């Protein structure tokens, strides 16, 4: 799973760099084997559409961003297709939005499409469906899209190609050195983040680390590397140490739990007490109403929710057996008191352990 950002695909003047696309296509063709497929998450549609619409810089309003993306997406895919065809491959465009990940049927359809494309000489090229996205339903950036798309394929290795050499222990333009291996994710890594965004991009190193954190919790290994190097994918495919490798957590969750924890967009939040935190994280229990201390947002029965400590730290996500209104009424109550309050008991548990995913440590 390779994600390439706008800053990598653009030349010094901010215009799309077709030679970079040619180089990337050549490396993708070499990386494909009978046992290894390549899925590309590519930014650059807005940048590719700027000069088509006579714009000299990336717009800031949604309408013009969507117009540039609409014009540029067709151009970007054509460039990829022309480059891949010289290696006997074709580009297969896949545009995804938040609702495609939220709806289980559409999510499975996207997964089936990616699986079927492996039968053909086609490289899936994924981008967010920017022309219909809004601020309320946007995925945010393609780093997050790449992590979510990684959940659609078996045994993914996520490669984030950036304009930085990797995660450094200082300023990479001064005396900072690339950290080659991180065995275990730690939130302290955010202190090392230095923004590498430009006027054409939407994400910097901080957003990439947020994506890496979710990937690691889902058990996915991630490599941060400089996409401007002409042989970066060749070296990674050969097993050479390139950039920064962040290992995924051992004991990866099932596909169902990955979908709940790292793909669904939560509609609300449930805060729980310390006893409930221990029950969920240390004993693998379900969440009971008596452990709930607060409810935020509006969600129906079956709605996806974040689960927080009293201090406001998210440590899990799940599907709620209660609506937000019902849960506010029964929060902190024993199960035998719920029937009297609601006239029935929707479920003994607020979130059953089979529908709950731990997303990060509850402390630290």
């Amino acid at each position: 799973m390779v994600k390439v950002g706008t800053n990598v695909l653009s030349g010094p003047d901010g215009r799309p760099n077709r030679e970079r696309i040619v180089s990337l296509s050549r490396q993708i063709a070499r990386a494909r084997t009978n046992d290894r497929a390549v899925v590309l998450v590519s930014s650059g549609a807005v940048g590719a559409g700027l000069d088509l619409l006579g714009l000299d810089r990336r717009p800031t309003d949604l309408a013009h961003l969507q117009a540039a993306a609409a014009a540029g997406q067709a151009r970007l895919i054509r460039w990829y297709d022309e480059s891949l065809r010289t290696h006997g491959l074709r580009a297969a465009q896949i545009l995804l939005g938040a609702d495609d990940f939220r709806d289980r049927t559409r999510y499975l359809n996207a997964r089936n499409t990616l699986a079927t494309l492996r039968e053909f000489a086609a490289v899936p090229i994924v981008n967010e469906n920017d022309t219909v996205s809004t601020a309320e339903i946007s995925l945010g950036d393609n780093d997050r899209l790449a992590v979510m798309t990684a959940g659609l394929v078996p045994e993914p290795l996520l490669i984030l190609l950036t304009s930085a050499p990797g995660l450094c222990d200082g300023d990479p333009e001064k005396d900072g050195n690339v950290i080659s291996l991180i065995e275990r994710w730690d939130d302290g890594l955010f202190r090392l983040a230095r923004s590498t965004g430009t006027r054409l991009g939407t994400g910097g190193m901080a957003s990439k680390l947020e994506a890496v954190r979710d990937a690691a919790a889902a058990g996915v290994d991630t490599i941060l590397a400089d996409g401007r190097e002409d042989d970066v994918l060749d070296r990674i495919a050969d097993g050479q140490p390139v950039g920064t490798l962040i290992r995924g957590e051992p004991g990866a969750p099932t596909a169902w739990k990955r979908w709940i924890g790292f793909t669904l967009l939560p509609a609300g939040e449930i805060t729980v007490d310390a006893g409930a935190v221990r029950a969920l994280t240390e004993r693998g229990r379900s969440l009971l109403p008596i452990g709930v201390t607060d409810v935020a947002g509006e969600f129906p029965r079956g709605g996806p929710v974040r689960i927080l400590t009293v201090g406001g730290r998210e440590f899990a996500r799940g599907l709620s057996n209660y609506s937000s209104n019902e849960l506010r009424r029964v929060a902190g109550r024993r199960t035998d008191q719920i029937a009297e309050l609601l006239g029935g008991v929707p479920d003994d548990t607020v979130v059953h352990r089979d529908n709950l995913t731990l997303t990060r440590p509850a402390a630290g």
Side-chain angles (χ1 to χ4, degrees):
M1 178 67 59
V2 180
K3 183 265 178 178
V4 58
T6 299
N7 297 327
V8 173
L9 291 177
S10 301
D13 61 353
R15 302 298 179 185
N17 184 341
R18 289 200 64 183
E19 288 304 312
R20 192 67 46 75
I21 292 175
V22 170
S23 173
L24 187 59
S25 298
R26 180 173 60 248
Q27 294 179 78
I28 287 172
R30 288 198 288 251
R32 282 169 48 97
T33 67
N34 290 335
D35 299 321
R36 181 172 59 214
V38 179
V39 177
L40 178 65
V41 176
S42 180
S43 301
V46 173
L50 295 183
D51 61 339
L52 291 176
L53 301 184
L55 300 172
D56 61 359
R57 66 183 60 191
R58 182 186 180 94
T60 57
D61 64 291
L62 181 61
H64 285 85
L65 280 170
Q66 290 176 324
Q73 184 65 31
R75 187 188 210 186
L76 185 65
I77 291 297
R78 177 168 58 82
W79 285 346
Y80 275 118
D81 192 61
E82 290 173 352
S83 299
L84 289 168
R85 270 192 288 166
T86 63
H87 305 284
L89 302 172
R90 299 302 300 255
Q93 176 178 265
I94 298 180
L95 298 178
L96 297 172
D99 286 340
D100 298 312
F101 290 98
R102 183 182 295 120
D103 183 274
R104 184 67 178 170
T105 299
R106 291 162 69 169
Y107 177 82
L108 294 176
N109 284 341
R111 189 175 72 178
N112 292 340
T113 298
L114 288 172
T116 304
L117 284 170
R118 292 195 63 175
E119 302 174 12
F120 303 95
V123 177
I125 299 179
V126 182
N127 198 359
E128 184 170 4
N129 195 357
D130 293 318
T131 57
V132 297
S133 296
T134 65
E136 290 75 17
I137 64 172
S138 172
L139 296 174
D141 59 55
N142 276 355
D143 297 315
R144 175 167 171 74
L145 174 62
V147 173
M148 295 170 74
T149 306
L152 296 169
V153 299
E155 300 181 86
L157 169 65
L158 178 61
I159 302 170
L160 300 181
L161 297 181
T162 76
S163 55
L167 186 60
C168 299
D169 57 10
D171 188 340
E173 297 183 357
K174 295 180 181 178
D175 57 354
N177 297 309
V178 175
I179 303 171
S180 60
L181 176 63
I182 297 172
E183 288 282 3
R184 197 79 181 264
W185 172 265
D186 185 286
D187 280 353
L189 294 171
F190 281 111
R191 292 194 297 270
L192 303 176
R194 297 184 61 86
S195 177
T196 56
T198 71
R199 64 191 179 93
L200 290 175
T202 60
M205 187 57 74
S207 78
K208 287 168 178 55
L209 288 185
E210 289 176 0
V212 170
R213 178 182 60 189
D214 284 350
V220 176
D221 291 346
T222 303
I223 294 174
L224 290 168
D226 192 339
R228 299 168 299 180
E229 298 181 6
D230 286 338
D231 62 348
V232 60
L233 288 184
D234 292 332
R235 293 165 58 202
I236 291 173
D238 287 341
Q240 299 180 31
V242 179
T244 302
L245 168 62
I246 303 98
R247 301 302 302 267
E249 293 289 332
T254 64
W256 170 252
K257 290 199 170 190
R258 285 202 309 272
W259 179 67
I260 292 173
F262 306 102
T263 302
L264 275 179
L265 302 179
E269 298 176 346
I270 298 175
T271 301
V272 301
D273 62 24
V277 173
R278 290 192 296 271
L280 270 57
T281 60
E282 299 175 11
R283 298 195 290 274
R285 301 288 181 82
S286 300
L287 176 61
L288 303 179
I290 196 169
V292 176
T293 63
D294 194 21
V295 180
E298 301 297 329
F299 49 89
R301 292 184 184 179
V305 294
R306 291 186 177 92
I307 303 176
L308 314 177
T309 66
V310 172
R313 181 181 179 86
E314 177 191 319
F315 68 95
R317 295 186 183 186
L319 304 180
S320 175
N321 293 320
Y322 288 75
S323 71
S324 52
N325 289 334
E326 291 170 334
L327 191 52
R328 289 187 179 97
R329 296 178 63 186
V330 302
R333 304 282 185 162
R334 298 191 312 271
T335 303
D336 59 8
Q337 298 175 304
I338 294 175
E340 181 179 348
L341 291 168
L342 299 182
V345 181
D347 198 279
D348 290 341
T349 65
V350 175
V351 179
H352 193 276
R353 63 185 181 184
D354 290 344
N355 297 325
L356 181 143
T357 305
L358 300 179
T359 55
R360 61 203 63 162

